Amino acid sequence: MSQQVVTRFAPSPTGFLHIGGARTALFNWLYARGRGGKFLLRIEDTDRQRSSPEATAAILQGMAWLGLDHDGEVISQFDGAARHAEVANQLLAEGKAYKCFASQEEIAAFRDQAKTDGKSTLYRSPWRDADAATHPDAPYVIRIKAPQRGVTIIEDQVQGDVTIGNDQLDDMILLRSDGTPVYMLAVVVDDHDMGVTHVIRGDDHLNNAARQMTIYQAMGWQVPVWSHIPLIHGPDGKKLSKRHGALGAQEYQAMGYSAGGMRNYLTRLGWSHGDDEFFTDAQALDWFDLDGIGKSPARFDTKKLENLSGQHIAISGDAALRHEIQQYLAAAKQPALTDAQSAALEKAMYCLKERAKTFPNLLEKAEFALASRPIQPDQKAAKALAAVSDGILGELTPQLQNVSWTRDDLEELLNEFAEAHDTKFGKLAGPLRAALAGRAVTPSVFDMMSILGRDETMARLNDAVG
RNA sequence: GGCCCGUUCGUCUAUCGGUUAGGACGCCAGGUUUUCAACCUGGAAAGACGAGUUCGAUUCUCGUACGGGCUGCCA
């Protein structure tokens, strides 16, 4: 019996949840939730200068949109500073770490020189083996004693075994001269203390894993199962990150993509399960596994996102869509739907959801149900109305009085009417659409009529005839 | 500079030594049609390059090119 899976998402709160981070969170979520494990959230806020509560809130919001719920409280890494220092001091006491009195200026000067000489910029502290008696009374940092010979092998589930020469490892800093812990220490301690079994993160951390390994070994802790996933690139192939103007997850919400579609798209980006492209959350949870993750970076393609968003809207329940649309409106900073509009929307949903790729798209087609008389035709609709004589619409309207108000009968009536006037129904559809919705893009006129009902339909037609 | 990782149609990808290299999005052509969308039919479109291993390489190995990452008292 294997132990329970515990994964975590550990963003640093320096900006919005960018799309690459969202996918990392999603992978961790899928892996844990798909196996009855736990998915934890830890905010890496040890850099006080760059961390902000606003950013944390934005990350939480982005995750909420995508439905990535985490177990337990949100953990602040900064809160664990004392524990991190404790570990550093333990290592120091055990002789596995040491005090380094080199100043930052000193090190910077060394690096500059090494760079101009074309030599390795790896800093070798002269204090590594210094006698404590020679220690000056000055500020110091605590560095770990990294192995200098041999190799460190990262057994990565995505990248395979990655071998790094220990001569590439520096004695990284554990505790700054002000006593605060550095990320490299904090991740290891926190992942260990939180019982994290599987770490899925961006491959920008692949090299760091070797460094972190030295802490695991020094503490005698078991290393987690690592999976370093390739970063997502922009459509231009360039790195997509918050530093390079990446789009935040919430911006996609504000653009009106469905969360289900986004989950599907992000899951499929860089991960595959044979030829499956469109799948539900249940299927993703069932299928997701580490060995399906690709090794090469993927580009973000809005067209495919759009397509999947549409497919997910089409299979969503009407009430759920109504709810998600209200949230979209809020995210897009648009006025909320009134209760009446919302109810009308849900009633019309059946003929809207299979034809819309995004929510603004759906709302555009829903205009007929959301608007109230008198209908204000937009430019295109006005043009369609002008293309037909008032007479013919005026003649049609009374005929609606006694027809049975079902889709089929309406269709029959309108076709016969068109035939009687020696025209095609197609010629009539435009003006009818314009009169009923004030828009050129709408559902079928028969659907609109049956949803609107006889009275409202006739009233709108009469309005249009004038 | 040093080290690490990557490279199949425009894009996301399948293939785990032998396939006419498959699918999806997008694109093009045609069909259907009541606008948009959807749908149907067909089409163009890929193994970065060079060696090697092998009866046989997209697949294994090496090199080159290109791209990315790390090399912080950032995360």
Side-chain angles (χ1 to χ4, degrees):
Chain A
M1 189 66 199
S2 57
Q3 60 180 339
Q4 186 189 36
V5 166
V6 178
T7 65
R8 48 69 162 183
F9 176 51
S12 51
T14 54
F16 294 100
L17 174 64
H18 65 89
I19 219 65
R23 188 185 59 152
T24 302
L26 177 61
F27 279 15
N28 278 286
W29 181 84
L30 283 169
Y31 192 74
R33 291 273 181 267
R35 287 144 238 270
K38 284 188 174 170
F39 171 62
L40 310 177
L41 178 62
R42 183 177 72 227
I43 304 295
E44 311 233 298
D45 52 358
T46 51
D47 184 339
R48 305 313 284 172
Q49 249 74 48
R50 302 197 309 161
S51 299
S52 78
E54 291 75 24
T56 300
I59 289 167
L60 256 24
Q61 267 179 47
M63 289 178 68
W65 171 50
L66 290 169
L68 306 180
D69 57 320
H70 57 88
D71 291 295
E73 298 296 307
V74 177
I75 296 163
S76 158
Q77 185 160 64
F78 180 72
D79 288 349
R83 164 68 178 149
H84 304 145
E86 176 190 324
V87 170
N89 284 311
Q90 182 185 333
L91 256 16
L92 184 63
E94 292 172 0
K96 293 171 179 167
Y98 61 93
K99 295 178 180 177
C100 170
F101 296 86
S103 71
Q104 295 191 54
E105 294 71 35
E106 209 175 304
I107 298 169
F110 161 80
R111 272 196 257 272
D112 286 348
Q113 188 59 44
K115 213 167 266 182
T116 53
D117 293 349
K119 287 195 227 159
S120 169
T121 56
L122 213 73
Y123 180 69
R124 295 289 186 202
S125 171
W127 300 97
R128 177 169 166 128
D129 298 307
D131 192 313
T134 66
H135 285 359
D137 182 20
Y140 61 86
V141 297
I142 294 182
R143 288 182 186 272
I144 192 161
K145 282 187 187 171
Q148 296 178 318
R149 274 182 297 279
V151 295
T152 294
I153 298 172
I154 309 294
E155 291 175 31
D156 193 281
Q157 298 306 299
V158 173
Q159 309 288 345
D161 285 0
V162 177
T163 304
I164 293 173
N166 287 342
D167 55 355
Q168 298 300 317
L169 269 27
D170 61 346
D171 289 346
M172 62 188 175
I173 292 174
L174 265 20
L175 241 41
R176 301 185 180 96
S177 51
D178 65 0
T180 60
V182 150
Y183 159 79
M184 213 67 79
L185 201 222
V187 237
V188 173
V189 174
D190 288 349
D191 282 344
H192 171 265
D193 289 358
M194 288 160 67
V196 173
T197 59
H198 298 255
V199 170
I200 303 171
R201 61 191 354 175
D203 69 5
D204 48 337
H205 288 286
L206 182 56
N207 285 285
N208 289 336
R211 276 174 244 284
Q212 288 159 205
M213 185 93 99
T214 74
I215 301 179
Y216 278 104
Q217 284 170 344
M219 290 302 291
W221 288 340
Q222 191 188 349
V223 301
V225 176
W226 272 312
S227 297
H228 289 93
I229 63 177
L231 270 13
I232 297 177
H233 287 186
D236 59 353
K238 293 276 169 57
K239 185 190 172 189
L240 185 69
S241 84
K242 56 195 164 193
R243 288 180 194 147
H244 293 77
L247 288 164
Q250 283 161 294
E251 291 176 65
Y252 287 92
Q253 179 184 23
M255 283 187 265
Y257 294 104
S258 67
M262 186 55 122
R263 272 195 298 276
N264 187 159
Y265 177 70
L266 249 24
T267 303
R268 188 66 178 76
L269 193 64
W271 171 85
S272 64
H273 182 264
D275 283 336
D276 295 306
E277 301 282 349
F278 169 70
F279 40 79
T280 62
D281 289 331
Q283 287 172 310
L285 254 5
D286 189 30
W287 293 338
F288 187 81
D289 203 355
L290 267 17
D291 58 20
I293 301 175
K295 302 172 80 165
S296 53
R299 299 185 189 199
F300 198 84
D301 178 12
T302 350
K303 287 288 188 188
K304 190 154 185 179
L305 201 214
E306 206 167 82
N307 177 277
L308 286 171
S309 172
Q311 292 195 62
H312 276 85
I313 288 174
I315 60 160
S316 294
D318 296 348
L321 279 173
R322 165 178 169 175
H323 182 66
E324 195 176 351
I325 286 170
Q326 287 284 28
Q327 293 190 313
Y328 150 70
L329 255 10
K333 299 193 181 4
Q334 288 190 43
L337 260 28
T338 64
D339 288 349
Q341 282 179 317
S342 184
L345 179 66
E346 188 169 333
K347 197 174 158 196
M349 205 64 93
Y350 78 92
C351 65
L352 296 168
K353 66 182 181 184
E354 284 179 15
R355 325 157 72 96
K357 294 181 167 180
T358 62
F359 295 132
N361 210 207
L362 187 151
L363 255 11
E364 180 190 27
K365 294 176 203 294
E367 181 63 17
F368 82 96
L370 304 178
S372 47
R373 292 178 54 218
I375 301 298
Q376 297 294 327
D378 65 12
Q379 215 174 18
K380 278 186 186 166
K383 215 169 162 184
L385 277 173
V388 72
S389 72
D390 285 356
I392 199 163
L393 282 188
E395 200 181 317
L396 170 65
T397 311
Q399 296 194 25
L400 297 174
Q401 190 59 256
N402 297 312
V403 66
S404 87
W405 207 258
T406 66
R407 224 201 102 116
D408 286 349
D409 288 342
L410 285 168
E411 186 160 356
E412 195 184 326
L413 170 77
L414 285 173
N415 276 317
E416 280 170 7
F417 180 84
E419 212 169 309
H421 289 76
D422 204 25
T423 182
K424 283 189 165 182
F425 170 70
K427 294 276 186 198
L428 238 46
L432 278 172
R433 211 187 320 278
L436 259 22
R439 294 288 181 278
V441 177
T442 73
S444 151
V445 298
F446 307 120
D447 282 322
M448 288 196 287
M449 290 171 90
S450 55
I451 289 165
L452 254 19
R454 189 194 311 270
D455 292 349
E456 181 68 16
T457 297
M458 290 179 68
R460 290 190 185 190
L461 287 177
N462 280 326
D463 286 349
V465 173

